[in-house]
Amino acid sequence: MSSNRGQGPRGRGGRGSSPATSDAGRGSPAPGRGSGFRGRGGPPQHQGYGGGGGPPRGRGGGGPRGGRGGFGGSVIYAEGAPAPLPERLSDGSHQQLITTYKSLKAKPDRPLRPGYGTIGTPITLRANFFPVKVPKGPIYDYIVEISPTQNINALKIRIFQLLELSPQFKPHLGYIAHDRSQRIVSARKLPQPLDIPVPFYDDHQQGPGPNPTVYTVSIRHDRELDMGRLNDYLDGRPDSQGYDPLPLISALNLVLQQHPSSTGVRVGKNKYFFPPVSSMSLGFGIEAWQGFYTSVRPTYKQLMVNVNVCMSAFVTPGNLADALFAFNQNSKGAMPTLPKSLAKSMKIKTQHLGHTKRVFAIGSTSARNTVFECEEFRNPYNITLKHPVDLPVVDIGTAKRSVYIPAELCQILPGSVYRAKLSDTETAAMIKLACNPPRMNAEAVVREGFPSLGLSPVKPPVNGFGLTIDLEMAVVPAREIPPPRLSYSSGQANVRNAGWNILDVKFQRGATISSWWVLVVRDSRNMIAGPTDPALATLVENFTRKCGKSGMAIPNTRPRLLVVSLPPPSRDPGRATAIDQIRTVIRENLGKVPKKPDFILVLLENRDNFIYPGIKRLGDVEIGVQTIHMQLSKALTDPNKQDQYLSNVALKVNTKLGGMNHLLDAAAMRWLVKKKTMMVGIDVTHPGPGSREGTPSIAAVVANVDDTFVQFPASLRVQESKKEMLDELTEMLVERLLVYESKNKMLPERIFVFRDGVSEGQFDTVLEEELRQILSAFKKLATKERKNIYRPKLTIVICGFFATNSQFADKNGNTRPGTVVDKGVTGVFDFDFYLQAHAGLQGTVKSTHYTVVYDENALTADEIQQGTHDTSYLYARATKAVSLIPAAYYADLACERGRCYLNEFLVDDRTSSGGRGGRDKEEEKKRVFAAAKQAWGQGLHPDMRDKMFYI
């Protein structure tokens, strides 16, 4: 349900935010983004906004339904309550706005909206946006400087806590907000100059001791943020087109987040979590907390705040000794320990001194065998240890200086964010908890979110700024676009609820398989007894039959069979020996045949953080052969489930080998093929919290090779850690253009770029940095041989509702596939829209927010909206429409595959380097980056560079 992504690097699986964090209720396995809309509305009496809803299609509601956790009644939030469109959306002023825009000079960068979409059945929705009223007066913006500056970053939060207790600052608390770092905003003028001395003391101390460090907090006036300018912008006045609302919007976000920042736990920039009433366990030592996301959004004639439910993983509180004993019950070893990722996520409070510290590491020696004697705790603190010999000490120091304490004196505090990637089982548990029906999430926002966030009843400083928030969800107009027709070489695909079955169809173009191998990876579970196991023979026969039936040409002879038995993880914790064994087996067999197989089918007994990425690196980088994995737990199942599983794997095989699974009909492709067009997807993935500091980010550029828009090979690069803008986009785009030229004997006339992963605050940065590199790529192809200057028409699109009536909702109360919204919650001057092309399989469905930031192709609203929707049905590895246009989705997948090649840096089991001095830390980052770049080498093997290896 969230509508923007915050600023800076963001994460899907480790791209800048904790991978243990989840927006509540992902509606599909596909990445879901943007704003959440709830179900369908548009009863016929609502003639003022498009003639009503029309007849329902697909699966609708139809009466009370039960749900998880006792949830019952209607699936629709506030069903039966009036849902009229506000006057600003029904008075015709939107069309007047478009007329005004057409009178202005058109320019390609940040194009004005050319019109509103018309294709589809008109409906109405409730959205998790809430109208905000702001006062007329200005907001005063201040810069904060703190001195002395040595090691200040680690202390800023505590300094701001102490600042709020200062007699000079305390009287202003009712009308100020701050970011706990360098910015304060105020509803009233603060005295100037304002320099406040803050004696420092830790939170376990009653007050400052003798000779404390005194920090001077200097608050300097920077600017006045004029609400009048914002109101002119919201009204769409032509002279406000160049106005930047972000400084004022970010100030209002600070105001709304001030209360939850002091009562909850912040994760990322704008998500706040609160202790659960009852524990929601995800696995050993980890539990889920529910939280809420807030973001202020400017829309036409109305400021909104978007509020959403989200979930994140936290360390289960309790005594650390109990946690060690509990974990040791399921592991072997002389001294109990904990997974490093879990230990490093812990914030503990010492029982004898009350200090709050982070755990640096679990020691390997007991209290009695460590530097101190047990009596040290008994004499000064009157403590006799219960476990002086059978529990390890805990290091709560730094990399430079260890500070050991007995584990039983450590209490794990609530609110310790789990800062590592969840395992498969933990992820499944999180999804189960997060995937609530729309009505449940809507009620959580209104009943729990608003009080927790201090929005109802209103808490300071919101009321101090004169802000008022409507507690009723916004009602917005929308449309429902019908699905495109699909084409296979034989058989019919009937689309229902954005999905279809392929059991009785043949691929549009089946790949030709000359030879293939099977690699059985035995990993302690003995799911395959050996090469002669009948279950293995049956699985291989069924898979061969499935590939042939789907339209691929595959030999009837049995594939070469390779079996490798791996040492247990207890003897090979990083699985380096296991990967060496697999490498050796593959290379030995390659030496026995004249050519490499087209692919190796890898059968896995387990999934861990090492074997899968290790094999992908072997195939993609070292050897240059496609690898396709099956989980034996899924493949060796009952015949009906196995057939569906093998069908899904066949989709990947055909795509990897250059085949085409299906096509769209001519009508759906018209917007793409009226001129020679290349669609480009761009994304960047960043190292997550569990990575070594300095690990590079990975950039991917994918592009189609012909007019079918099915095959999208990729270019990959490593670049500066956590940098979102691409460093080598020119070279990567040239690679893609040359491949297109080799296939089509000409370069494309138009290029559509879909850029994923960029926040709204970075739109202009894309135009400043990446647009320049794209244009440079065009210039590089203006050679003598081509005779003419190459300059295609370019478009860049950034990718980044509760029902009113159950008759027009799906069975969960979600909006149905094809829902598009371009009024009510969209930007004022932006050419943007929200699209939900996919079906919500579980939980609350999400739409994707698309914004056209550069356009030389004069795209209309209907063209980009319907075109993006229809193209979402071309995703190669599923028989479903997906939530993100495939070009951008493929770029994301390519980035994720690139992570496999740097797995040893992204999954860091070494002792943390936290606590180093600034210079040492920076040097270490440089060393890590250099080592990672060396490990990356030339990247993809040459034999993989023109294939969809990542699918």
Side-chain angles (χ1 to χ4, degrees):
M1 297 193 317
S2 60
S3 64
N4 76 347
R5 310 191 191 175
Q7 297 186 13
R10 67 95 180 87
R12 220 195 274 97
R15 5 186 126 177
S17 65
S18 170
T21 305
S22 168
D23 291 328
R26 281 217 151 139
S28 165
R33 304 173 163 66
S35 172
F37 300 97
R38 298 297 181 271
R40 290 286 179 291
Q45 65 266 28
H46 290 166
Q47 296 296 323
Y49 43 87
R57 98 176 149 76
R59 293 182 297 174
R65 293 175 179 79
R68 301 172 46 240
F71 175 74
S74 171
V75 297
I76 306 301
Y77 173 74
E79 182 170 23
L85 284 173
E87 185 178 349
R88 72 185 180 94
L89 299 178
S90 58
D91 61 4
S93 61
H94 276 80
Q95 198 53 50
Q96 295 172 9
L97 188 67
I98 298 302
T99 301
T100 301
Y101 289 168
K102 289 181 178 178
S103 68
L104 302 176
K105 183 179 180 180
K107 55 180 184 177
D109 54 311
R110 301 306 294 266
L112 295 169
R113 189 185 303 277
Y116 291 96
T118 60
I119 293 175
T121 303
I123 57 176
T124 55
L125 310 172
R126 280 192 174 92
N128 55 318
F129 287 74
F130 302 84
V132 180
K133 291 183 180 179
V134 295
K136 294 182 178 179
I139 289 180
Y140 300 94
D141 206 350
Y142 296 86
I143 294 173
V144 179
E145 295 178 348
I146 304 174
S147 60
T149 60
Q150 186 176 6
N151 297 327
I152 195 65
N153 288 334
L155 302 175
K156 277 185 176 178
I157 292 177
R158 180 59 182 165
I159 291 172
F160 269 86
Q161 291 173 345
L162 296 172
L163 176 67
E164 292 183 354
L165 300 176
S166 165
Q168 285 178 262
F169 195 74
K170 201 169 185 179
H172 306 294
L173 291 179
Y175 49 83
I176 66 100
H178 57 76
D179 63 358
R180 302 189 292 182
S181 178
Q182 57 191 12
R183 188 184 187 194
I184 289 176
V185 296
S186 175
R188 304 179 193 176
K189 283 186 176 181
L190 299 178
Q192 290 290 288
L194 186 55
D195 300 305
I196 301 175
V198 177
F200 188 87
Y201 58 95
D202 282 320
D203 54 3
H204 65 275
Q205 296 174 307
Q206 298 297 316
N211 301 317
T213 300
V214 178
Y215 291 94
T216 300
V217 180
S218 299
I219 302 169
R220 298 282 180 263
H221 181 262
D222 181 35
R223 57 189 167 179
E224 290 185 13
L225 302 173
D226 185 359
M227 288 292 187
R229 292 291 309 278
L230 177 63
N231 289 328
D232 290 345
Y233 177 86
L234 297 177
D235 287 340
R237 290 182 51 166
D239 57 357
S240 295
Q241 182 184 355
Y243 170 72
D244 182 8
L246 289 182
L248 218 163
I249 296 299
S250 62
L252 294 172
N253 275 321
L254 282 182
V255 174
L256 295 185
Q257 294 167 15
Q258 184 68 29
H259 176 78
S261 70
S262 60
T263 59
V265 178
R266 187 176 75 173
V267 177
K269 288 187 175 291
N270 50 8
K271 295 179 181 179
Y272 293 89
F273 295 85
F274 306 91
V277 176
S278 58
S279 176
M280 297 185 287
S281 176
L282 299 176
F284 175 80
I286 310 172
E287 62 185 21
W289 285 23
Q290 179 177 273
F292 300 93
Y293 159 100
T294 66
S295 178
V296 175
R297 312 284 302 158
T299 69
Y300 179 54
K301 288 192 173 182
Q302 182 63 66
L303 198 65
M304 297 276 195
V305 60
N306 178 212
V307 185
N308 187 16
V309 179
C310 47
M311 302 283 284
S312 191
F314 288 78
V315 180
T316 304
N319 189 270
L320 183 51
D322 295 337
L324 283 162
F325 279 129
F327 184 74
N328 200 49
Q329 290 177 356
N330 300 317
S331 59
K332 297 178 180 179
M335 186 65 66
T337 189
L338 291 173
K340 291 179 180 179
S341 57
L342 180 62
K344 290 180 181 180
S345 299
M346 290 178 176
K347 184 183 286 185
I348 60 97
K349 188 170 186 176
T350 62
Q351 292 181 3
H352 61 302
L353 291 176
H355 290 173
T356 299
K357 299 286 185 181
R358 284 206 171 275
V359 172
F360 183 79
I362 303 294
S364 57
T365 58
S366 68
R368 179 162 291 167
N369 294 327
T370 308
V371 218
F372 47 76
E373 293 293 331
C374 303
E375 288 73 20
E376 173 179 351
F377 289 92
R378 183 179 62 197
N379 293 337
Y381 308 115
N382 197 27
I383 295 173
T384 301
L385 296 179
K386 297 178 181 178
H387 305 285
V389 296
D390 53 348
L391 278 182
V393 292
V394 179
D395 186 357
I396 57 173
T398 67
K400 286 190 171 182
R401 178 175 176 268
S402 295
V403 177
Y404 292 111
I405 182 172
E408 62 189 276
L409 301 185
C410 299
Q411 199 69 18
I412 305 168
L413 293 174
S416 297
V417 181
Y418 183 62
R419 302 183 181 278
K421 187 174 181 179
L422 296 176
S423 68
D424 288 350
T425 54
E426 292 161 351
T427 299
M430 174 68 87
I431 291 172
K432 186 175 181 181
L433 289 169
C435 283
N436 294 318
R439 177 185 149 192
M440 189 179 292
N441 279 345
E443 291 175 346
V445 165
V446 174
R447 296 178 183 177
E448 303 168 36
F450 272 64
S452 298
L453 296 168
L455 304 180
S456 175
V458 177
K459 299 288 179 66
V462 175
N463 50 6
F465 279 82
L467 301 181
T468 58
I469 299 170
D470 192 332
L471 303 186
E472 294 294 326
M473 288 187 175
V475 178
V476 297
R479 287 166 291 112
E480 194 176 273
I481 301 174
R485 294 183 181 275
L486 308 179
S487 168
Y488 286 85
S489 66
S490 67
Q492 186 70 33
N494 296 313
V495 178
R496 295 189 61 188
N497 201 32
W500 60 97
N501 197 297
I502 61 168
L503 294 180
D504 298 315
V505 302
K506 286 187 181 295
F507 294 143
Q508 182 66 234
R509 185 180 73 204
T512 298
I513 301 168
S514 300
S515 67
W516 61 294
W517 296 358
V518 175
L519 171 64
V520 179
V521 180
R522 303 186 69 216
D523 196 10
S524 307
R525 295 182 63 183
N526 295 320
M527 298 178 75
I528 295 291
T532 59
D533 191 325
L536 174 61
T538 301
L539 176 60
V540 171
E541 290 170 6
N542 289 345
F543 179 67
T544 305
R545 190 179 305 113
K546 171 60 65 176
C547 290
K549 186 179 178 183
S550 298
M552 287 182 272
I554 187 168
N556 290 325
T557 55
R558 285 193 173 187
R560 178 178 287 265
L561 180 63
L562 288 60
V563 180
V564 57
S565 297
L566 306 183
S570 58
R571 296 208 316 264
D572 183 25
R575 311 309 301 268
T577 302
I579 297 300
D580 281 340
Q581 285 185 219
I582 295 169
R583 179 186 291 108
T584 299
V585 167
I586 294 175
R587 288 198 179 279
E588 285 179 351
N589 280 269
L590 285 172
K592 300 175 183 178
V593 294
K595 59 177 290 190
K596 292 184 289 190
D598 293 311
F599 70 93
I600 300 175
L601 180 66
V602 182
L603 305 180
L604 296 176
E605 291 187 335
N606 292 311
R607 279 200 70 168
D608 65 11
N609 290 330
F610 304 99
I611 298 301
Y612 175 88
I615 294 175
K616 286 301 180 187
R617 179 183 167 86
L618 284 176
D620 296 353
V621 176
E622 297 184 25
I623 298 171
V625 64
Q626 300 272 21
T627 56
I628 292 151
H629 289 66
M630 280 190 197
Q631 290 293 325
L632 286 170
S633 59
K634 295 180 179 179
L636 298 178
T637 182
D638 68 72
N640 290 330
K641 289 184 178 179
Q642 185 189 73
D643 190 69
Q644 183 61 55
Y645 183 73
L646 296 182
S647 293
N648 292 336
V649 177
L651 292 171
K652 294 184 181 182
V653 174
N654 195 50
T655 304
K656 281 174 176 283
L657 300 184
M660 291 190 300
N661 295 342
H662 66 277
L663 298 176
L664 301 183
D665 69 356
M669 294 296 292
R670 191 173 297 121
W671 78 294
L672 290 175
V673 300
K674 60 184 180 182
K675 290 185 178 181
K676 299 295 284 186
T677 303
M678 189 167 86
M679 185 179 288
V680 178
I682 301 176
D683 200 8
V684 180
T685 183
H686 305 288
S691 306
R692 294 169 62 180
E693 286 284 333
T695 298
S697 293
I698 300 169
V701 175
V702 305
N704 61 296
V705 299
D706 57 31
D707 289 348
T708 63
F709 293 84
V710 170
Q711 284 290 319
F712 281 76
S715 297
L716 291 177
R717 297 288 192 281
V718 291
Q719 63 180 41
E720 179 184 335
S721 184
K722 300 183 181 178
K723 181 181 179 184
E724 182 61 42
M725 299 301 127
L726 277 73
D727 285 340
E728 299 182 41
L729 178 55
T730 295
E731 292 75 14
M732 298 167 82
L733 187 56
V734 166
E735 290 174 7
R736 297 298 100 221
L737 285 164
L738 290 176
V739 170
Y740 185 97
E741 184 181 42
S742 69
K743 300 281 186 181
N744 299 275
K745 309 309 176 187
M746 66 178 295
L747 290 166
E749 301 170 77
R750 303 186 303 172
I751 293 184
F752 297 163
V753 173
F754 286 86
R755 176 64 160 96
D756 191 21
V758 176
S759 70
E760 291 179 19
Q762 296 172 310
F763 284 4
D764 288 338
T765 308
V766 169
L767 297 179
E768 292 162 5
E769 298 185 19
E770 294 188 349
L771 172 60
R772 174 177 50 80
Q773 294 187 67
I774 292 171
L775 298 178
S776 177
F778 300 159
K779 290 179 181 177
K780 286 201 168 197
L781 293 174
T783 61
K784 291 181 179 179
E785 293 78 8
R786 295 185 180 89
K787 297 180 182 178
N788 297 319
I789 294 174
Y790 180 59
R791 182 60 173 85
K793 298 287 187 181
L794 174 66
T795 295
I796 303 175
V797 184
I798 306 291
C799 314
F801 286 40
F802 294 154
T804 58
N805 189 311
S806 60
Q807 181 185 8
F808 302 101
D810 76 0
K811 64 180 181 178
N812 296 318
N814 276 312
T815 45
R816 289 195 294 248
T819 298
V820 62
V821 175
D822 61 1
K823 293 180 183 175
V825 292
T826 50
V828 181
F829 291 95
D830 289 334
F831 183 9
D832 67 330
F833 60 96
Y834 291 92
L835 172 66
Q836 179 216 321
H838 64 300
L841 302 183
Q842 56 182 336
T844 300
V845 74
K846 293 183 175 186
S847 56
T848 298
H849 188 194
Y850 293 93
T851 304
V852 181
V853 297
Y854 192 86
D855 185 30
E856 296 174 337
N857 289 293
L859 295 174
T860 66
D862 279 332
E863 197 169 25
I864 186 67
Q865 291 173 16
Q866 184 176 31
T868 303
H869 167 263
D870 291 352
T871 307
S872 298
Y873 282 75
L874 265 180
Y875 183 65
R877 74 175 194 184
T879 55
K880 297 178 178 68
V882 288
S883 64
L884 180 65
I885 193 165
Y889 201 155
Y890 292 151
D892 173 69
L893 292 179
C895 280
E896 293 304 307
R897 177 57 58 82
R899 296 174 70 87
C900 294
Y901 314 153
L902 295 179
N903 192 58
E904 63 183 292
F905 298 90
L906 291 160
V907 180
D908 181 20
D909 278 346
R910 306 174 321 142
T911 302
S912 170
S913 60
R916 294 178 183 271
R919 182 177 299 176
D920 289 346
K921 195 169 185 179
E922 289 305 312
E923 289 300 317
E924 175 66 12
K925 286 182 182 179
K926 291 177 182 177
R927 285 192 290 269
V928 169
F929 183 85
K933 198 160 185 180
Q934 183 176 7
W936 181 273
Q938 297 301 310
L940 286 172
H941 190 282
D943 292 348
M944 306 295 285
R945 290 176 184 171
D946 292 338
K947 300 174 181 177
M948 290 181 73
F949 60 91
Y950 55 83
I951 200 73

